Amino acid sequence: MAQHPLCLKLCEGASMASMDTSRCRYAPHHLVPTPRIMYRTPRINLPGLQRCRAESGTRASAVAREIPAEVSAAADSLESKKKKKGLETDPAVLWQRYVEWLYQHKELGLYVDVSRIGFTEEFVEEMEPKFQHAFKAMEELEAGAIANPDEGRMVGHYWLRDSKRTPNPFLKQQIDSTLDAICNFAENIISGKIKPPSSQTGRFTQVLSVGIGGSALGPEFVAEALAPDNPPLKIRFIDNTDPAGIDHQIAQLGPELASTLVIVISKSGGTPETRNGLLEVQKAFREAGLDFSKQGVAITQENSLLDNTARIEGWVARFPMFDWVGGRTSEMSAVGLLPAALQGIDIREMLTGASIMDEATRIPVVKTNPAALLALCWYWASDGKGSKGTRSALYANNRESLTVTVQEVTPRSVGAMVALYERAVGLYASLINVNAYHQPGVEVGKKAAGEVLALQKRVLSVLNEASCKEPVEPLTLAQIAERCHSVEQIEMIYKIVTHIAANDRALIAEGGCGSPSSIKVFSEECNVEDLYTEV
């Protein structure tokens, strides 16, 4: 039986979104470029869902490359020619505009209404060269063009929905075999064929997913949108490094920790946030007298640190993250499909919906391409620069908005929405000359975080060595920096010391944090074993 429509309204500037929540349950917020989604979730009783059926097929997304001079020239002219007028208020004119610009996908039961965005025909005409460039870049991307020049990587999350589109047979075999393995594993877990060793129930009852960023947001969205009221396995997420938050999730499991399947998701296998979560979970298992390896599942790149750890320790299962799938577009990979399947969600239907939407968003005509319509509106609303502005009201208060409606919240429609926003983000990025699949800033951030963690390890080692002396030797910041061979990083060492002191891993013997030069610090305990551990 059809459910009430799902309505997502995006305000001009793409900085905030609000929902008509009286008749809808959830919106795919993590795939909108910048908006925050504010939502309430009235209960919708979805029909019973099967996990794996029907053949899948699918695709989506684009990449920005260097924009040709003639296209850039056209973009420059937009600033002078795109004069925003007051919003239209004549009901007859608005109705005509609504009829002219309404997009409908009958098979998916999806509508996109951009009539309340005030772009002009002149603006649409001026944008045509940029869109043709974006469509071309998208076509090249789907054919296997290198999208991340630093890492020499393709971007192929759309192949996950239609493996026949892969550039070589090997990739197709990887995709197909992984999907089959996910379906079989989920079935064995749910049926009790694969059992936890220490649970009184004789089957797994909970899933604890440990990941961050794209490895968490997609699965969380799908769980909120599609999980039945009484799923075969209930799911929880550890998606940050907050110790209190991690402890809370583990505590909520209580005795069901013994029947919890833990999914650890990290493409590189060395993401610090995910590793911190894993270490906390493993600690909880040890304290409960449980063997983590008999309840752990890894989703990571082949031969990564996490993959090798899971293989050596004999975890329950390992599933691949492909090099050509980025974290933010990984929902249709094992990252999103395994957690969904374990909740009884029909993942093949999700893939089918995404595939159908991919076909619709490959059409190189703005007016009949729903992803292009979204990108067009975002460009208009952001002045083509990503500019933002808070919007507290919609068209009735002279604010532009667009509406995306799905008639029924099902695995197929949710898969379609994921694909729609993946493609729209790729097209929009191309319009503003940004490579949506290249993230040097993120990689630099990870490297910087890794360097700080390495320095912290050296600081703890130096403090431990000084605390093992008789008598204990409190150290100044300058002494710590010298012994760490990091005199130039004394400010960061000060911040590390204040952090570990606040977490009871060091004691301030003299001075105070408000006067860094007066501080003397030592470890609370001497760990003799650490004296012989290489830093």
Side-chain angles (χ1 to χ4, degrees):
M1 183 174 72
Q3 308 295 336
H4 291 302
L6 174 77
C7 305
L8 171 64
K9 294 181 180 292
L10 304 182
C11 304
E12 178 187 8
S15 64
M16 178 173 288
S18 66
M19 287 184 58
D20 174 8
T21 53
S22 62
R23 292 180 178 269
C24 30
R25 181 177 182 194
Y26 202 75
H29 56 284
H30 74 288
L31 295 176
V32 183
T34 55
R36 277 181 14 234
I37 299 296
M38 301 185 297
Y39 59 91
R40 295 184 291 276
T41 56
R43 185 167 301 281
I44 289 180
N45 294 318
L46 296 175
L49 302 175
Q50 300 177 13
R51 287 177 302 286
C52 302
R53 69 178 181 212
E55 280 300 317
S56 68
T58 259
R59 319 265 246 64
S61 252
V63 65
R65 309 196 197 296
E66 202 61 42
I67 292 208
E70 61 272 18
V71 178
S72 296
D76 294 338
S77 70
L78 285 176
E79 290 305 311
S80 60
K81 291 186 177 181
K82 188 186 78 171
K83 301 295 183 181
K84 291 188 177 181
K85 306 173 183 178
L87 297 180
E88 183 60 63
T89 59
D90 186 317
V93 176
L94 286 174
W95 168 245
Q96 183 58 42
R97 183 174 174 84
Y98 176 82
V99 171
E100 181 182 358
W101 284 97
L102 179 66
Y103 173 86
Q104 178 190 18
H105 196 296
K106 292 183 179 180
E107 183 178 1
L108 293 171
L110 178 138
Y111 300 83
V112 178
D113 171 20
V114 299
S115 65
R116 295 316 191 255
I117 297 288
F119 57 79
T120 63
E121 292 293 338
E122 181 185 42
F123 171 74
V124 175
E125 183 179 344
E126 289 282 351
M127 290 295 295
E128 183 62 21
K130 291 175 72 69
F131 268 104
Q132 290 308 314
H133 173 78
F135 291 140
K136 176 67 172 171
M138 180 73 71
E139 183 181 355
E140 293 173 358
L141 189 73
E142 293 199 72
I146 298 299
N148 188 323
D150 288 350
E151 301 175 24
R153 285 196 295 106
M154 300 181 291
V155 170
H157 48 275
Y158 27 77
W159 304 331
L160 298 168
R161 291 91 91 139
D162 186 355
S163 61
K164 297 186 296 295
R165 287 183 173 270
T166 57
N168 63 67
F170 174 70
L171 295 182
K172 181 182 186 305
Q173 189 275 331
Q174 277 190 313
I175 294 168
D176 295 343
S177 61
T178 299
L179 178 58
D180 289 340
I182 289 170
C183 291
N184 292 335
F185 179 77
E187 181 62 36
N188 289 337
I189 289 290
I190 292 170
S191 67
K193 186 175 181 179
I194 299 177
K195 297 179 171 63
S198 306
S199 171
Q200 299 299 316
T201 64
R203 57 178 292 270
F204 284 101
T205 61
Q206 299 272 350
V207 176
L208 182 60
S209 179
V210 183
I212 198 164
S215 297
L217 293 174
E220 286 184 64
F221 156 60
V222 169
E224 181 68 25
L226 293 175
D229 291 336
N230 294 295
L233 280 79
K234 297 179 180 178
I235 192 165
R236 295 180 178 275
F237 296 91
I238 292 177
D239 60 358
N240 59 63
T241 58
D242 173 32
I246 294 173
D247 291 343
H248 174 74
Q249 291 296 336
I250 295 173
Q252 289 293 303
L253 291 169
E256 283 192 276
L257 185 66
S259 60
T260 296
L261 188 71
V262 181
I263 303 176
V264 184
I265 307 172
S266 172
K267 184 173 181 178
S268 66
T271 305
E273 296 90 343
T274 303
R275 179 162 176 75
N276 288 347
L278 170 60
L279 293 175
E280 286 298 307
V281 173
Q282 288 177 323
K283 177 184 176 184
F285 269 73
R286 287 195 301 272
E287 292 175 349
L290 300 171
D291 184 351
F292 175 83
S293 67
K294 303 305 180 185
Q295 296 176 229
V297 174
I299 300 178
T300 185
Q301 276 191 282
E302 188 177 359
N303 294 323
S304 71
L305 175 62
L306 176 60
D307 186 50
N308 290 332
T309 299
R311 176 176 51 80
I312 293 169
E313 294 181 357
W315 289 20
V316 180
R318 291 148 45 222
F319 294 94
M321 280 188 78
F322 303 120
D323 176 65
W324 35 267
V325 176
R328 74 196 74 177
T329 54
S330 62
E331 175 55 33
M332 299 296 172
S333 71
V335 170
L337 297 182
L338 179 59
L342 290 168
Q343 295 169 83
I345 296 169
D346 187 342
I347 60 175
R348 290 193 187 271
E349 272 292 280
M350 285 176 58
L351 292 167
T352 297
S355 176
I356 294 170
M357 178 55 71
D358 284 341
E359 290 299 328
T361 56
R362 288 190 186 101
I363 297 172
V365 180
V366 173
K367 209 166 191 175
T368 56
N369 181 323
L373 287 173
L374 294 183
L376 177 77
C377 293
W378 294 339
Y379 193 99
W380 169 267
S382 66
D383 298 320
K385 302 174 184 176
S387 58
K388 299 180 289 185
T390 300
R391 294 293 181 258
S392 60
L394 300 178
Y395 200 86
N397 289 319
N398 205 36
R399 294 291 184 263
E400 297 173 302
S401 66
L402 63 85
T403 305
V404 177
T405 306
V406 293
Q407 291 179 312
E408 185 178 3
V409 181
T410 66
R412 180 172 292 207
S413 65
V414 168
M417 292 293 280
V418 170
L420 171 63
Y421 279 90
E422 283 177 346
R423 182 83 67 168
V425 169
L427 290 174
Y428 175 72
S430 183
L431 295 179
I432 61 173
N433 200 23
V434 169
N435 187 333
Y437 309 106
H438 186 210
Q439 48 181 17
V442 173
E443 294 305 319
V444 168
K446 288 181 179 179
K447 182 179 178 181
E451 291 173 352
V452 171
L453 290 173
L455 179 59
Q456 177 176 287
K457 188 175 181 180
R458 296 201 302 273
V459 169
L460 289 169
S461 177
V462 165
L463 290 176
N464 182 65
E465 183 177 356
S467 298
C468 289
K469 292 182 177 180
E470 290 290 346
V472 172
E473 180 188 11
L475 299 177
T476 65
L477 293 176
Q479 289 172 320
I480 296 172
E482 183 178 355
R483 297 184 190 188
C484 287
H485 307 290
S486 301
V487 175
E488 73 285 354
Q489 292 184 284
I490 190 169
E491 182 177 339
M492 181 56 67
I493 289 172
Y494 163 68
K495 294 176 181 177
I496 289 172
V497 166
T498 58
H499 169 72
I500 60 178
N503 287 277
D504 298 325
R505 301 176 69 186
L507 294 175
I508 305 293
E510 295 181 20
C513 293
S515 178
S517 60
S518 69
I519 288 179
K520 284 192 174 183
V521 63
F522 63 94
S523 294
E524 187 173 4
E525 298 178 353
C526 166
N527 190 330
V528 178
E529 290 183 2
D530 285 353
L531 294 176
Y532 304 99
T533 301
E534 184 178 354
V535 178

